Amino acid sequence: MTGASSGIGEALACELGHRGARVIISARREERLAQVAERIDRVHILPLDLAETGTLEDKVKEACSVWGGIDIMVHNAGMGQRSKAVDTPHEMLRRIMEVNFFSTVVLSKALLPQMLERKFGQFIVISSLMGKFGGPGRCAYAASKHALHGYFESLRYEEWNNGIRATLVTPGYIKTEISQHALRSDGSEHGRLDPGQAKGMLPEVCAKIILDGVEKGKEEILVGGWEKWGALLKRWAPPILSRILRGRDID
């Protein structure tokens, strides 16, 4: 599991542990991973940096050697954004795509051979409502999440008969640190919790909903409060959603 040091990732790691799973937790902050590990019975810490894609295949080999293979891969780590398209530097766009999308692809492709050999594997991909529709100040972030949907839906169809499953999770407002660490156009952090997230669902509640959905075999799981209905508006009444989002502040 990536992004296990806080937020949804931390909650999912703990909930998986409570449900009897052996869990490998990854993130950049090794000290935070150690704190999370104290709450899980069978756990292994594997620090990694998703921005260093050249190291990820070796990290997968290391992970597979811990307990003889990976049954479920949770792609959770990601980077947020708060900048208009006109102000977003190319370097930031590439960085967000590298962390949110390309690193996920590298990890998945490295895991697939051993999953295909055993005819079993599950990818749980934490996307966002921004994977369903764009929003002000989220051009790069929304692009990376849309890419995840396209990639893992295709992978699901290709490998279904080989026992490979992919669940796309589209959270709305969850009370995590992602808005605080979101990047502004100058590369600085947003530095504060957005109002919607401040009132959002607790990560622990979110984690239980996600894993219950996975156990039921759902291919996509919407999580959140009223805001998750934006996905339905996008599908059934896109002009209404457009009127809601036009000209809104990027925060």
Side-chain angles (χ1 to χ4, degrees):
M1 174 186 299
T2 61
S5 60
S6 64
I8 295 174
E10 177 181 0
L12 279 170
C14 293
E15 184 64 22
L16 281 166
H18 294 332
R19 298 188 186 203
R22 295 179 297 187
V23 186
I24 299 175
I25 54 176
S26 297
R28 289 179 302 166
R29 298 179 292 177
E30 190 169 359
E31 70 284 356
R32 280 290 297 134
L33 290 175
Q35 294 172 13
V36 174
E38 292 176 358
R39 301 161 56 195
I40 306 171
D41 289 334
R42 295 182 294 178
V43 62
H44 179 81
I45 295 174
L46 181 64
L48 59 76
D49 186 343
L50 292 179
E52 299 176 357
T53 51
T55 69
L56 297 182
E57 290 188 7
D58 287 338
K59 291 290 185 179
V60 167
K61 291 177 183 177
E62 183 179 346
C64 289
S65 71
V66 176
W67 284 305
I70 304 294
D71 293 326
I72 300 172
M73 176 67 207
V74 182
H75 292 297
N76 173 71
M79 178 180 293
Q81 173 208 7
R82 295 295 184 276
S83 62
K84 290 184 177 181
V86 68
D87 299 322
T88 302
H90 297 310
E91 294 76 12
M92 181 189 294
L93 175 59
R94 290 191 179 95
R95 182 181 178 190
I96 290 174
M97 290 298 296
E98 192 74 36
V99 171
N100 291 5
F101 176 66
F102 287 112
S103 66
T104 303
V105 171
V106 172
L107 288 171
S108 299
K109 283 178 63 64
L111 279 168
L112 265 174
Q114 59 100 27
M115 288 182 171
L116 290 170
E117 184 177 351
R118 292 183 291 120
K119 296 288 185 179
F120 179 82
Q122 171 84 47
F123 293 102
I124 302 175
V125 185
I126 310 301
S127 177
S128 165
L129 283 180
M130 293 290 101
K132 291 292 189 181
F133 54 87
R138 313 291 199 277
C139 59
Y141 181 75
S144 69
K145 296 301 184 179
H146 275 68
L148 288 175
H149 282 254
Y151 185 87
F152 281 96
E153 284 176 1
S154 298
L155 176 62
R156 180 198 296 143
Y157 303 145
E158 291 169 357
E159 304 297 350
W160 181 270
N161 291 335
N162 292 317
I164 307 302
R165 303 292 181 260
T167 302
L168 284 155
V169 181
T170 54
Y173 291 136
I174 311 298
K175 198 171 183 178
T176 72
E177 300 174 356
I178 190 168
S179 65
Q180 292 171 288
H181 299 303
L183 297 180
R184 292 188 172 276
S185 59
D186 61 0
S188 64
E189 291 191 349
H190 185 52
R192 58 189 175 87
L193 196 63
D194 288 345
Q197 283 191 305
K199 300 175 183 177
M201 179 183 289
L202 292 175
E204 293 77 13
V205 177
C206 176
K208 290 178 181 178
I209 293 172
I210 292 170
L211 294 181
D212 287 347
V214 170
E215 289 178 357
K216 292 175 182 176
K218 290 186 176 182
E219 294 183 353
E220 188 165 324
I221 302 170
L222 281 169
V223 190
W226 62 266
E227 72 283 355
K228 69 183 180 182
W229 297 107
L232 299 179
L233 284 177
K234 175 65 175 180
R235 181 173 183 179
W236 300 111
I240 295 176
L241 181 64
S242 180
R243 286 196 294 270
I244 292 171
L245 294 176
R246 290 174 194 161
R248 291 190 65 177
D249 190 83
I250 66 172
D251 291 341

